[in-house]
Amino acid sequence: MQTNPFNLPAKTQADSSQDSSAPAQTPRKKRSRSEPNASPVREGSRVVIIGGGPGGYEAATVAVRLGAEVTLIEDQGLGGAAVLTDVVPSKTLIATAEWLTETEQAEELGINVGSVKPTADMATINARVRELASKQAADIRASLEQLGVEIIDGRGRIESKFGDRGTRIISATTAESTEYLEAEIVLVATGAKPRALPGSEPDGERIFNWAQLYNMEELPEHLIVVGSGVTGAELAGAYQVLGSHVTLVSSRDHMLPGADMEAAVLVEDIFRRRGMEIKSRSRAVSANRTENGVEVHLQSGEVLSGSHCLLAVGSIPSTAGIGLEEIGVRLTDRGHIEVDRVSRTSAFRVYAAGDCTGVLPLASVAAQQGRIAMWHALGDAVTPLDTSRIGSTIFTLPEVATVGMSEADIAKSSLDIKTAKLPIARNPRAKMHGLRDGFVKIFSEADSGVIVGGVIVGESASEQIFPLTLAVTHRMTVDQLSSAFTVYPSISGTLSEVARILH
């Protein structure tokens, strides 16, 4: 045991008999700073969480319900980037744009919307976006405080020295001071931040990253989006529907690399049909402000001119400067924290969850990693994370939802897999709504009929994917899925119909 530099009290007999992962049973005691020779460390801290995003606040909820004393340290606001600058804001913006897509079927449905096209008021839209994000953050804080979680609005760092009882010491630095916490369990859930294009720093006025868009007062006349991954595609599609002319710069053959190929091609075709200019196989090297707008320079030498530019070129894990390497936490070459399937890091008593781990950049995954970490650390029953059963959605218009094995996974495997697919346009409910774009595709084992994956493209695909997620999670067969009654007429009826094809 290393010498304790923080002058922690010696371990008592009662402490010796208590398992190190057991929740605290006594209230926290904080020594007065006026006491002579007082330790700067709070006695009795058991779980300290650094980061208040989905991984952090869900972990805090689980830990306190299991009886632990919990302190959560967050320096940007409860909910983290997911609530304040990423998921909640972007999906609120997209939901607004989605409302405008309803007018695309108006004439077919016999509705005269007139000659005046609806317009988007960006100042009002973004005010609503910010308000909803702020309310969500406030709701999370209130919920945690009601459970008894202590929240410190500051920056946490794990110190390299142990306490006398083998506990971790965490410094919490606020605007006023630095104090130290003693913890038996530490969870790092610090998330990630937008990556910048080298030499093209976002200024929040003409050149934006995905965290800076929501102070914009006017709709961009011509928005150049650099990056055709999930974030780039989602926001490019939303701004196009809201009324911007959009140019999307993609370094790949198709947008949405990693998504189901048929889904990516369909979404790209719809974007082009709506008027988006897509520069495929084009790599941006810089984005610069001009007197009245921006210029984006491509590797080919072509220069694109627009009014605004969004850089959607990935993210960087927020793992620097919080003591991880000093305490032996292994990081990848890209700075992500290496974790196992129960969220453990390589350092004693330290777990990690969320985008800082690089497992899957989904809020739902971050939340589950945080829960799993606390279940494991506090001795509750736990099922290790299985990424093969995670349902996810790309919130383009239309949405792309997937679960389980993809066609790319199937091609690499030795499994005998059958595939069936039907277009949404055949669905009677879709016809009633004038919907034509989209499809349902299911993959199943040829011999057993067990469903191993699926893809849904269409309106509200994020809601439709749940039955397939249940099927993949519980290894249901196509016969079991198709024998369950569906409402007629309903979009979900196509799921049952595709399953029957695989009988």
Side-chain angles (χ1 to χ4, degrees), residues 188-499:
V188 179
T190 47
K193 56 188 177 183
R195 179 176 172 267
L197 196 64
S200 306
E201 290 299 322
D203 59 15
E205 295 178 353
R206 291 286 180 175
I207 303 174
F208 298 88
N209 60 36
W210 44 257
Q212 298 172 324
L213 287 169
Y214 308 106
N215 289 316
M216 199 183 298
E217 294 291 318
E218 295 182 356
L219 185 70
E221 180 181 349
H222 181 185
L223 178 65
I224 301 172
V225 178
V226 177
S228 63
V230 173
T231 300
E234 287 181 346
L235 292 171
Y239 276 98
Q240 179 190 42
V241 171
L242 289 171
S244 293
H245 175 61
V246 175
T247 298
L248 180 65
V249 179
S250 173
S251 63
R252 309 296 185 93
D253 291 339
H254 293 285
M255 58 185 289
L256 296 175
D260 179 87
M261 179 59 73
E262 288 183 295
V265 170
L266 176 58
V267 173
E268 185 170 317
D269 288 344
I270 293 168
F271 280 6
R272 291 185 191 275
R273 187 178 74 203
R274 289 175 178 158
M276 185 182 296
E277 181 181 6
I278 300 176
K279 295 280 187 179
S280 302
R281 297 180 294 279
S282 301
R283 188 174 295 277
V285 294
S286 66
N288 310 106
R289 286 191 64 158
T290 62
E291 184 177 351
N292 297 311
V294 296
E295 287 184 345
V296 175
H297 295 256
L298 305 184
Q299 200 171 52
S300 64
E302 184 180 1
V303 179
L304 306 177
S305 297
S307 62
H308 298 78
C309 176
L310 168 63
L311 299 177
V313 290
S315 60
I316 300 172
S318 300
T319 54
I322 56 175
L324 298 180
E325 292 178 288
E326 292 87 340
I327 66 168
V329 172
R330 283 196 299 270
L331 305 178
T332 68
D333 293 339
R334 298 184 62 184
H336 291 104
I337 300 171
E338 292 186 5
V339 292
D340 63 13
R341 291 175 59 203
V342 292
S343 303
R344 287 179 298 192
T345 73
S346 56
F348 181 56
R349 298 184 185 274
V350 180
Y351 291 74
D355 288 3
C356 63
T357 69
V359 172
L360 272 178
L362 299 171
S364 57
V365 173
Q368 189 68 356
Q369 283 181 292
R371 298 183 196 109
I372 286 172
M374 294 300 103
W375 289 328
H376 183 269
L378 297 171
D380 200 6
V382 60
T383 300
L385 184 70
D386 184 353
T387 57
S388 69
R389 299 177 178 181
I390 295 170
S392 64
T393 299
I394 302 170
F395 288 86
T396 45
L397 300 169
E399 297 175 352
V400 179
T402 58
V403 65
M405 296 185 74
S406 66
E407 285 192 304
D409 295 329
I410 293 167
K412 297 174 187 175
S413 77
S414 58
L415 297 174
D416 185 8
I417 301 296
K418 293 173 64 177
T419 301
K421 171 187 164 187
L422 284 176
I424 288 292
R426 284 183 49 173
N427 181 284
R429 186 69 181 273
K431 291 175 183 176
M432 295 171 193
H433 286 269
L435 302 175
R436 294 186 178 86
D437 299 316
F439 60 81
V440 172
K441 183 161 54 175
I442 296 177
F443 312 122
S444 67
E445 294 178 354
D447 55 351
S448 66
V450 169
I451 297 169
V452 297
V455 182
I456 301 177
V457 181
E459 188 176 283
S460 301
S462 54
E463 306 293 342
Q464 297 289 328
I465 198 66
F466 187 56
L468 281 184
T469 302
L470 286 173
V472 171
T473 299
H474 297 291
R475 292 187 56 78
M476 291 172 59
T477 67
V478 289
D479 290 344
Q480 288 173 321
L481 181 63
S482 65
S483 65
F485 281 83
T486 57
V487 172
Y488 183 88
S490 67
I491 300 294
S492 59
T494 299
L495 282 172
S496 183
E497 190 176 352
V498 175

